[in-house]
Amino acid sequence: MSRTARDTCLLLGLSVAAIVASGILLLIILFLSTEAWPVFSQVGLLKFAFDEAWYPTEGAFDLKPMLVASFAMSMLSIMLAAPLGIASAVFCRFYAPPVVRRAYQWIIILLAGIPSVVLGLWGLTVIVPLILMLAPPGASLLAGSLVLALMIVPTVALTTQAALASIPQFYWVGAAALGLSREGTLLGVALPAVRSSIFAGIMLAMARALGETMAVLMVSGNVVQLPTSLFDPVRTLTANIALEMAYATGDHRSALFVSGLALTVLVFILAWVARRSGGQVVHA
Amino acid sequence: MMSAVDDKPTPSREGASSAFTLGPLVAGPPCCTPQTHISIKSVTLSYGRIPAIRDVSLDIYKGCITALIGPSGCGKTSLLSCLNRLTDLIPGCHVEGRIAIDGQDITTPDLDVQRLRRRVGMIFQKPSPFPLSIWRNLEMPLREHGVTRRDELEFRIEKALADVGLWAEVKDRLGSAALTLSGGQQQRLCIARALTLEPSTLLMDEPCSALDPLSSAVVEDLIQSLKGQYTVVIVTHNLAQARRIANYAAFFWVKERAGTLVEFDQCRTLFDQPRHELTAAYVKGLQG
């Protein structure tokens, strides 16, 4: 094959792969939209936010409790996971002796690989009973947040580690030449230099938390209600879809697609924000 | 060629160096008795077992600009890094011999290196402002060194920026990112950052070589204006620049795969009447 022919083949192959990959995404969104459309056109957007309750078989489609639950749970989990992840990355990079650092990195990577259903199982048998001792029923917003936090710590830790590793050498040398201490360099130079990458990592972790279904479903109680305390059982959007999809028909089914669409849009927004902030060039 | 004849004796902030003035930069006896500021005695620096500098002894005089010249790899930058103990950061780097600044031995292991580096500032080839605002770049090291009073911070930062000629250029945008400045402005910001800490000595590692000719000239003028107030040690490959700005020059050469000092003299003497034939060849641009 001549060189130009090989080039053409390669170009063709790559283009097809790229079109298929992006096309599938578009098709998914299209599919979600068409499935959601019947109930959308009948009841309108506002009903999903301001209806009195979620009785989808009787035409009441209030998604608010689930939206609030999803949002509260991912926020809580990120509030727990972000400090933990950032601190562990900083510890690994600056303070840990090499042996500890390697071991710790392995643990973080393994933690990232635990299937969510296994974490759910662990949450159900360890976390939920513990919370039950504090306040019944145990399966709650707090339990879901704790399990989610554990799940997204690796995302935050690994993105922070990568960001810290990308800091050019001359910043460290420059800081040392100014007589800055290790703490001063860390807080004054290193973390500010990579703040946007860390923020991007947090956004990605949050997107993951929003989308997580199985573990959350197993530990958070699944009662459709606006939570008033950390110990209230809640149902997230994802859990709602997983629980009801099997038997939903008609408008009910269509309403579940609406919640799926809402979730997708939310995750897209987070990913976009992450990309926007992570794409900033911080070092010249 | 720039003349240093009209260099005014600059009043110093503190009394220590105020008695010091400089005369015209011509060959011949210096205008005043040179006062040793940094004394380097039989310094040998090795990376692992391989020596990079062998047995260098050199006196650096207070308030003067001393240029370290010589071909690449002859240990000029390594020697510079010994003077603020940046060599500590390089694993396997080992320094023997004695270096004293103002009579104080700085090679002892229990030395407070942070204090040392505050007294001995360093400017690098690549301008290295941190990815922070202009103000934060200057404020952060000051706070780290215990300057926290607002008026004191403002005074020192404004003074340092004025000293490097940046104040007029940036006073309306102290909050904007330092990396939006031009290369020359960034380098002057780095010099200002070192000056805020009120050092006695500035080490410069090819401070102009990454800059365009115009910015380079501005920075060069700035370095000249530091004369008298600060002791400046500058590594440069630009011989014309060394000749223009330095009072003293030290010529290094690689012998037996380690850098050694060949000749040290007043800058003009070293360029015009070198004693050593290696120096003569190098300054004529025949070798290295």
Side-chain angles (χ1 to χ4, degrees):
Chain A
M1 220 189 301
S2 77
R3 167 162 286 208
T4 45
R6 262 187 308 176
D7 262 359
T8 318
C9 279
L10 183 66
L11 178 66
L12 206 69
L14 292 177
S15 315
V16 168
I19 289 167
V20 168
S22 52
I24 286 175
L25 177 69
L26 285 178
L27 283 177
I28 288 175
I29 295 171
L30 192 70
F31 167 75
L32 277 175
S33 309
T34 47
E35 292 287 341
W37 182 248
V39 69
F40 237 157
S41 56
Q42 276 171 43
V43 304
L45 189 61
L46 285 181
K47 205 154 154 67
F48 286 101
F50 297 108
D51 217 341
E52 64 267 30
W54 172 258
Y55 292 119
T57 46
E58 289 152 38
F61 298 111
D62 187 23
L63 283 177
K64 196 163 64 255
M66 288 167 287
L67 262 172
V68 169
S70 273
F71 195 70
M73 200 178 282
S74 50
M75 282 305 277
L76 267 172
S77 64
I78 205 73
M79 275 157 60
L80 293 167
L84 217 59
I86 294 170
S88 74
V90 167
F91 167 74
C92 244
R93 174 72 180 72
F94 297 102
Y95 294 93
V99 181
V100 177
R101 179 187 310 177
R102 269 195 297 277
Y104 196 87
Q105 240 153 2
W106 263 108
I107 291 172
I108 289 283
I109 289 167
L110 284 179
L111 185 59
I114 295 180
S116 71
V117 67
V118 173
L119 275 176
L121 214 52
W122 175 78
L124 198 60
T125 50
V126 178
I127 297 279
V128 171
L130 277 177
I131 294 176
L132 179 62
M133 285 197 284
L134 285 174
S140 58
L141 178 59
L142 181 62
S145 306
L146 286 173
V147 170
L148 267 187
L150 198 59
M151 207 177 258
I152 60 177
V153 158
T155 311
V156 179
L158 292 173
T159 48
T160 307
Q161 270 180 24
L164 288 173
S166 76
I167 295 176
Q169 186 65 25
F170 66 82
Y171 284 160
W172 305 115
V173 180
L178 284 166
L180 300 188
S181 61
R182 186 156 61 167
E183 291 72 21
T185 308
L186 193 57
L187 298 176
V189 182
L191 289 179
V194 296
R195 59 184 179 268
S196 55
S197 309
I198 294 178
F199 180 72
I202 290 176
M203 288 296 112
L204 286 178
M206 200 165 158
R208 171 141 196 244
L210 261 183
E212 174 51 38
T213 309
M214 193 35 100
V216 166
L217 186 144
M218 289 167 82
V219 300
S220 53
N222 303 315
V223 179
V224 183
Q225 62 172 353
L226 279 171
T228 52
S229 89
L230 285 176
F231 302 102
D232 281 352
V234 291
R235 183 187 290 193
T236 63
L237 280 175
T238 48
N240 187 47
I241 298 172
L243 287 167
E244 298 187 358
M245 205 60 210
Y247 62 87
T249 50
D251 278 356
H252 181 193
R253 185 171 180 277
S254 186
L256 291 181
F257 276 99
V258 170
S259 53
L261 194 63
L263 208 57
T264 312
V265 170
L266 267 176
V267 171
F268 277 175
I269 291 172
L270 286 175
W272 178 74
V273 171
R275 201 179 152 75
R276 277 287 299 252
S277 54
Q280 266 173 24
V281 182
V282 281
H283 356 97
Chain B
M1 189 175 296
M2 272 168 237
S3 154
V5 178
D6 50 10
D7 257 7
K8 292 176 200 76
T10 333
S12 154
R13 291 157 230 243
E14 278 156 42
S17 56
S18 62
F20 202 86
T21 54
L22 279 155
L25 278 177
V26 290
C31 62
C32 51
T33 323
Q35 222 177 314
T36 300
H37 189 186
I38 305 173
S39 139
I40 301 166
K41 288 231 160 57
S42 329
V43 165
T44 295
L45 176 148
S46 19
Y47 297 112
R49 289 215 178 136
I50 304 152
I53 310 174
R54 191 177 290 132
D55 197 22
V56 169
S57 294
L58 180 65
D59 276 351
I60 289 170
Y61 298 124
K62 192 170 210 129
C64 296
I65 298 181
T66 303
L68 310 183
I69 58 173
S72 297
C74 68
K76 306 180 297 290
T77 300
S78 298
L79 181 64
L80 211 57
S81 312
C82 292
L83 302 182
N84 66 348
R85 289 272 295 268
L86 267 192
T87 43
D88 289 9
L89 300 184
I90 306 165
C93 179
H94 182 65
V95 182
E96 285 165 64
R98 186 172 187 274
I99 301 171
I101 298 183
D102 288 324
Q104 187 202 357
D105 187 357
I106 61 152
T107 52
T108 52
D110 59 343
L111 179 89
D112 181 350
V113 285
Q114 278 168 250
R115 261 199 70 206
L116 170 71
R117 289 171 187 161
R118 180 180 173 166
R119 282 194 297 149
V120 182
M122 192 165 189
I123 314 298
F124 299 90
Q125 177 174 15
K126 182 177 162 58
S128 54
F130 301 128
L132 310 167
S133 70
I134 296 170
W135 175 265
R136 271 299 283 166
N137 258 285
L138 299 162
E139 179 201 23
M140 195 255 304
L142 276 172
R143 282 192 183 276
E144 176 78 9
H145 285 286
V147 180
T148 48
R149 281 207 354 256
R150 185 81 194 169
D151 52 345
E152 171 90 5
L153 282 170
E154 278 172 4
F155 172 76
R156 286 216 202 183
I157 289 172
E158 180 174 343
K159 174 143 187 10
L161 283 173
D163 283 350
V164 300
L166 263 184
W167 179 248
E169 290 165 53
V170 303
K171 68 173 191 294
D172 299 323
R173 51 180 184 130
L174 290 170
S176 58
L179 293 175
T180 59
L181 296 172
S182 74
Q185 287 174 321
Q186 288 187 16
Q187 193 62 301
R188 282 187 284 151
L189 180 68
C190 290
I191 298 177
R193 192 171 61 183
L195 293 185
T196 55
L197 301 176
E198 301 184 342
S200 65
T201 308
L202 288 172
L203 311 175
M204 303 194 169
D205 190 358
E206 299 187 52
C208 297
S209 64
L211 307 179
D212 67 82
L214 285 177
S215 314
S216 174
V218 174
V219 172
E220 194 179 305
D221 283 350
L222 165 61
I223 296 169
Q224 252 185 337
S225 74
L226 300 172
K227 197 183 287 182
Q229 210 174 350
Y230 303 95
T231 304
V232 177
V233 187
I234 180 169
V235 168
T236 178
H237 282 131
N238 182 340
L239 293 180
Q241 182 181 60
R243 200 186 166 104
R244 280 195 296 272
I245 66 174
N247 308 82
Y248 292 91
F251 173 65
F252 290 80
W253 191 256
V254 185
K255 279 182 187 162
E256 292 158 31
R257 287 190 289 171
T260 47
L261 177 66
V262 174
E263 187 169 347
F264 171 73
D265 214 322
Q266 287 190 61
C267 189
R268 288 296 166 88
T269 316
L270 189 123
F271 275 98
D272 296 339
Q273 300 141 28
R275 280 169 292 159
H276 202 287
E277 60 190 39
L278 272 173
T279 320
Y282 187 76
V283 299
K284 277 192 202 125
L286 298 180
Q287 249 177 20

